[in-house]
Amino acid sequence: PTFLYGQWRLLHTIQNNQFIPLMMEENIVFKNDFSFFLIQNYMQSNFGTFSFQNEFLTIYFMNGVRDTRCFQCFENELFIVQFMNTVAFNIAIYKRLQ
């Protein structure tokens, strides 16, 4: 899971088995002090902290919202999956920025 640290660019979003066109550029940065930043169209739009355990990633936004999703992280690819009734409803696919 330490592969998670770094900056990632959103490549694709799949919802209900259909590709959703990207409406804006989105990057997410996971720092090794367990803080994260969400950058949309080159402007920081959100930040907070995160934790991970096994295949679950929990993001704690500064406004108090907590979001837990499954994730798989490889060296250059990150998949964040939201389930609805045990079916993968939303899959966000990120590529590591070098």
Side-chain angles (χ1 to χ4, degrees), residues 4 28-31 33-38 46-52 57-67:
L4 181 64
I28 191 165
V29 180
F30 293 104
K31 300 183 82 170
D33 65 357
F34 296 99
S35 64
F36 85 94
F37 301 93
L38 183 63
N46 216 325
F47 64 97
T49 60
F50 71 95
S51 64
F52 55 85
L57 170 68
T58 302
I59 295 178
Y60 306 91
F61 294 96
M62 284 296 115
N63 64 3
V65 172
R66 185 178 87 178
D67 188 11

Side-chain angles (χ1 to χ4, degrees), residues 73-91:
C73 185
F74 305 99
E75 286 189 40
N76 293 314
E77 293 183 317
L78 172 64
F79 299 85
I80 299 178
V81 183
Q82 178 182 7
F83 285 90
M84 184 177 289
N85 297 327
T86 69
V87 175
F89 168 73
N90 187 48
I91 303 169

